[in-house]
Amino acid sequence: MAPVKVKLVILLLTAVSSDALSPLAPVRAAKRVFLRRGGASPTLPINSQDVTDAQKAWGDGIVEIGRIYTAKGDYKAEAVKVLGDLYGWDSKMDVLFKPTKAANPAIRLDYDEALSYFVGAASADKPVAEDKGFAIAPWTAVRFDNKKTLFLSDSATAMGEYYFTGTDGSETKVEYTFQYRRASDGSLKIVVHHSSVPFAA
């Protein structure tokens, strides 16, 4: 074997051996499997500005659905866009959705049940009878007040209170927990959404 080829083989074997012996080898292997399965990239940590931007996008989306509804436009199409852009269903992620004004079922694990909640049973493809359409109230503003956000390797979980402004200017306070993960395109997706009204003693 020519000297150049021998050196090349030695270098390749050394690189493979050093990678296999590295304490990061299991992490790198897990990352490769994770990415092959279409998961969010763990190389893009989520930061506080990402969460702020995602929450603003959610609030703006809710307001826009209501605005289009009031203008007698295609508010359902806007709701489909908002859910597709902001929640994990279209990115093949499991989503845990427990909205504020839901009882039967209270927990919505299905995209169609979530859409029904936002646009109302009358406009849904697979309606949930109790749904009046949370996003078509309508609301004129949504304000988030994060109390704490936990940042993990591939997710961020925010808990706090948000305030929905009605057409009469009054505010409705709701408590929330949102968890976000990155999709393969780098965008943030909601994978947990839990909302509830404050306890009244």
Side-chain angles (χ1 to χ4, degrees):
M1 185 180 293
V4 174
K5 290 184 178 179
V6 171
K7 288 181 180 179
L8 180 59
V9 170
I10 292 172
L11 286 171
L12 289 172
L13 289 174
T14 302
V16 171
S17 299
S18 61
D19 184 67
L21 295 174
S22 168
L24 294 177
V27 176
R28 290 169 181 158
K31 175 183 170 182
R32 287 192 293 270
V33 171
F34 192 69
L35 291 174
R36 281 202 302 272
R37 290 177 179 173
S41 172
T43 61
L44 297 171
I46 300 169
N47 59 46
S48 58
Q49 187 60 52
D50 292 328
V51 172
T52 297
D53 292 344
Q55 291 177 339
K56 183 179 186 307
W58 190 91
D60 290 348
I62 295 298
V63 170
E64 182 65 5
I65 294 167
R67 186 195 68 77
I68 294 174
Y69 169 79
T70 302
K72 302 187 183 305
D74 192 349
Y75 62 94
K76 180 183 172 184
E78 182 64 20
V80 168
K81 180 180 182 301
V82 169
L83 264 67
D85 288 347
L86 303 182
Y87 287 82
W89 283 292
D90 284 0
S91 298
K92 309 303 180 186
M93 295 176 175
D94 289 330
V95 179
L96 308 180
F97 181 50
K98 193 283 171 193
T100 311
K101 296 182 177 182
N104 187 27
I107 298 171
R108 312 285 179 93
L109 303 180
D110 180 83
Y111 167 86
D112 291 310
E113 291 178 343
L115 181 62
S116 176
Y117 176 77
F118 283 114
V119 302
S123 299
D125 296 326
K126 296 181 180 179
V128 176
E130 70 180 12
D131 291 337
K132 301 297 188 290
F134 179 81
I136 61 174
W139 307 104
T140 61
V142 180
R143 175 170 58 89
F144 279 79
D145 180 15
N146 276 340
K147 300 302 182 183
K148 183 76 173 180
T149 303
L150 300 179
F151 296 96
L152 301 179
S153 59
D154 65 346
S155 69
T157 305
M159 180 179 285
E161 297 163 339
Y162 46 1
Y163 299 82
F164 296 83
T165 304
T167 54
D168 62 355
S170 63
E171 279 193 332
T172 300
K173 182 171 77 171
V174 181
E175 299 157 346
Y176 67 81
T177 301
F178 281 91
Q179 184 177 96
Y180 305 91
R181 292 184 64 190
R182 283 201 188 280
S184 56
D185 65 357
S187 62
L188 246 58
K189 302 296 182 183
I190 298 166
V191 294
V192 176
H193 173 177
H194 184 285
S195 293
S196 58
V197 294
F199 172 71

